[in-house]
Amino acid sequence: MAVADTKLRPKDFLDIDALLSDEERDIRDTVRAFVTDQVLPHVGDWFEEARIPIELAHELGKLGLLGMHLHGYGCAGASATAYGLTCMELEAGDSGVRSLVSVQGSLAMYAIHRWGSEEQKQHWIPRMAAGEAIGCFGLTEPDAGSDPGSMRTRARRDGSDWVLHGQKMWITNGSVADLAVVWARTDDGVRGFLVPRGTAGFSTQDIHRKLSLRASVSSELLLDDVRLPGDAVLPEATSLRGALSCLNEARYGIVWGAVGAARACFEAALDYSLERRQFGRPIASFQLQQQKLAEMALEVGRASLLALHLGRMKDDGRLRPEQVSMGKLANVNAALDVARTARQVLGGNGITLEYPVIRHMNNLESVVTYEGTADIHALVVGGALTGIDAFR
Ligand code: TGC
Ligand code: FAD
């Protein structure tokens, strides 16, 4: 068999580029250029200063990336694969930037789009798509993380109003959000509520001293008998399923995002290994380093193919939550392996913010925890394989 005369590209070893359409490549290249111009020159400082400029949301809105996979209400209606490629490029910049987009589009906007009334959709989604209003998604509580069904935050009816009381923890964008989508227990099951910033009794407190996902705001939401009008509830979500269905969307984005973080680490290690000389030779010439590079390239390629496969399945309307769990489990674990290996290739320089690797490595410790820990996704897959629920 004749070997095709195609050039082998170290940074796309399996030629995954060829599996994308022209439109998909255009979207990817646009987001990559945005990240190169607007994120990479600054993100080391943001990470060090533990902040993310919220004006970035306006820029992301202008590019049409917020809720880009949703239809109508000012959203782009892009394919799941195009959305995935976007998450991959954003997270090649920083997990915090992808988080901003995930929480806005896949959690807050998706919750309203999927479970909201027509009035709620018209009021919030166009502004959120433009980046003029920021959303957050409050499910986790101090004592209810992996097991959100044990949440204590309660909403009770008082005449035609709702009154919310409780606390949410670890909420991305919490203190910068114009709108919090808050999940609370009611007499009729877990429901979602739209809580605008400034509502009496609603306050936030940022979580400090994080060593991971520093270019991202994480907050506590405090709900002290917050009174909301009757139409603040998402009418179509009547059980925990409402909240969990949103997680599928964000987890799907992470399947791709993790590939971006892994790719950035691999590329940094490859470039460094070719430039750095020890014992009179580039360290890339040593077998031990080549083995690391080969394994990282393999992990990045394998994770990319898995993400693309799940993306095509999602676009065909046949992607199941359990398959998303497998994707998140596999690709975040792979990205962590790549980041840890790449960090070693960089030697002492691998521990500074002059290179992206340790920033990604630390960020991935959040990514492997939020949106369901690796353990939780292993149990979802295990349950699907065996038919036995091992959570309790
Ligand atoms: P379980 O009895 O299994 O389910 C309750 C109801 O929900 C349905 N369901 C789902 N529906 C859609 N998609 C899914 N993935 C679903 N998983 C379950 C289920 O069918 C059932 O429906 P129904 O109609 O029969 O009532 O619930 P459980 O209490 O046993 O819990 C299952 C478990 C452990 C898998 C779930 O609670 C879980 O996923 N835990 C992990 C929690 C988590 O991922 N939290 C994420 C918080 S948000 C976040 O981290 C944002 S970070 C974003 C960023 O910054 O990028
Ligand atoms: P726990 O649930 O207490 O888990 C602790 C350990 O026990 C983990 O290793 C876990 O895998 C293990 N474990 C738990 N149950 C089992 C079991 N049945 N079997 C085996 N092992 C088990 N939440 C939101 O709602 N909105 C957000 O925007 C948001 N953003 C976040 C941003 C960051 C940076 C972080 C770190 C978290 C964020 N979260 C958010 C919360 C996140 O979803 C939770 O941290 C996550 O679901 C895990 O919950 P937990 O931290 O309470 O850990």
Side-chain angles (χ1 to χ4, degrees):
M1 191 182 80
V3 177
D5 188 18
T6 50
K7 207 164 156 8
L8 202 56
R9 284 172 295 140
K11 292 183 179 173
D12 181 16
F13 201 80
L14 297 177
D15 197 19
I16 291 167
D17 201 60
L19 302 177
L20 305 178
S21 68
D22 288 344
E23 193 187 348
E24 287 164 351
R25 274 192 290 267
D26 282 349
I27 292 172
R28 180 202 59 192
D29 292 346
T30 302
V31 182
R32 191 175 290 188
F34 172 82
V35 169
T36 303
D37 294 345
Q38 310 235 13
V39 175
L40 291 179
H42 314 292
V43 69
D45 292 339
W46 300 340
F47 189 94
E48 196 164 15
E49 294 158 15
R51 67 184 184 91
I52 185 164
I54 212 59
E55 307 81 61
L56 200 66
H58 304 152
E59 300 304 318
L60 293 161
K62 274 192 220 152
L63 272 182
L65 303 184
L66 302 176
M68 67 184 277
H69 60 308
L70 304 178
H71 290 264
Y73 308 98
C75 303
S79 69
T81 303
Y83 175 54
L85 288 162
T86 297
C87 289
M88 178 173 77
E89 294 306 325
L90 294 173
E91 195 148 356
D94 193 85
S95 302
V97 179
R98 197 267 310 134
S99 263
L100 171 64
V101 170
S102 286
V103 168
Q104 178 84 348
S106 286
L107 293 178
M109 289 171 73
Y110 179 84
I112 301 170
H113 196 273
R114 174 70 183 84
W115 303 114
S117 67
E118 189 53 34
E119 292 71 28
Q120 290 168 337
K121 292 179 202 182
Q122 303 231 8
H123 183 75
W124 286 107
I125 297 179
R127 296 167 55 205
M128 293 171 87
E132 289 160 10
I134 306 292
C136 70
F137 185 89
L139 179 63
T140 304
E141 301 185 354
D143 295 324
S146 298
D147 180 18
S150 66
M151 73 173 66
R152 290 198 197 136
T153 299
R154 269 204 82 82
R156 63 177 167 82
R157 277 286 197 185
D158 186 23
S160 62
D161 290 348
W162 287 98
V163 178
L164 259 67
H165 193 87
Q167 193 180 352
K168 296 289 170 182
M169 190 70 182
W170 286 115
I171 307 308
T172 301
N173 296 343
S175 66
V176 296
D178 301 281
L179 175 72
V181 177
V182 174
W183 298 90
R185 177 180 303 292
T186 74
D187 288 343
D188 304 317
V190 171
R191 312 278 318 252
F193 294 87
L194 302 187
V195 186
R197 187 218 291 267
T199 307
F202 173 45
S203 60
T204 62
Q205 227 165 14
D206 282 347
I207 297 168
H208 297 291
R209 308 185 80 186
K210 289 184 300 176
L211 296 178
S212 170
L213 215 79
R214 286 175 61 79
S216 173
V217 175
S218 313
S219 321
E220 208 175 328
L221 309 184
L222 303 157
L223 300 136
D224 186 8
D225 284 340
V226 174
R227 184 169 289 274
L228 297 168
D231 63 3
V233 70
L234 295 172
E236 306 298 332
T238 53
S239 76
L240 186 59
R241 195 168 70 85
L244 296 183
S245 69
C246 304
L247 302 186
N248 294 330
E249 300 298 305
R251 291 167 177 172
Y252 167 76
I254 292 173
V255 171
W256 282 91
V259 180
R263 189 191 74 205
C265 292
F266 162 63
E267 291 184 356
L270 179 60
D271 292 345
Y272 189 87
S273 70
L274 290 164
E275 285 161 16
R276 175 73 176 169
R277 297 177 72 85
Q278 288 294 287
F279 299 96
R281 295 155 57 182
I283 59 168
S285 66
F286 301 125
Q287 289 183 2
L288 283 173
Q289 301 309 318
Q290 290 199 3
Q291 183 185 26
K292 290 189 181 84
L293 293 169
E295 280 172 4
M296 285 189 279
L298 181 156
E299 293 284 5
V300 172
R302 191 156 48 189
S304 305
L305 288 172
L306 177 56
L308 185 58
H309 176 62
L310 296 185
R312 299 286 186 230
M313 287 178 79
K314 189 161 167 61
D315 279 324
D316 285 350
R318 57 194 176 89
L319 182 63
R320 292 189 51 93
E322 297 84 349
Q323 292 162 332
V324 177
S325 281
M326 181 177 273
K328 190 201 177 235
L329 176 66
N331 282 9
V332 180
N333 279 343
L336 268 166
D337 283 348
V338 170
R340 288 168 182 157
T341 305
R343 207 221 57 70
Q344 292 184 56
V345 173
L346 268 70
N349 283 325
I351 69 156
T352 77
L353 284 173
E354 298 306 311
Y355 294 86
V357 178
I358 197 161
R359 179 168 51 76
H360 282 299
M361 191 182 100
N362 281 8
N363 284 340
L364 287 164
E365 293 294 339
S366 288
V367 180
V368 76
T369 298
Y370 65 34
E371 287 294 350
T373 65
D375 294 331
I376 292 301
H377 291 296
L379 293 178
V380 169
V381 173
L385 292 173
T386 61
I388 302 168
D389 180 342
F391 284 109
R392 295 178 175 81

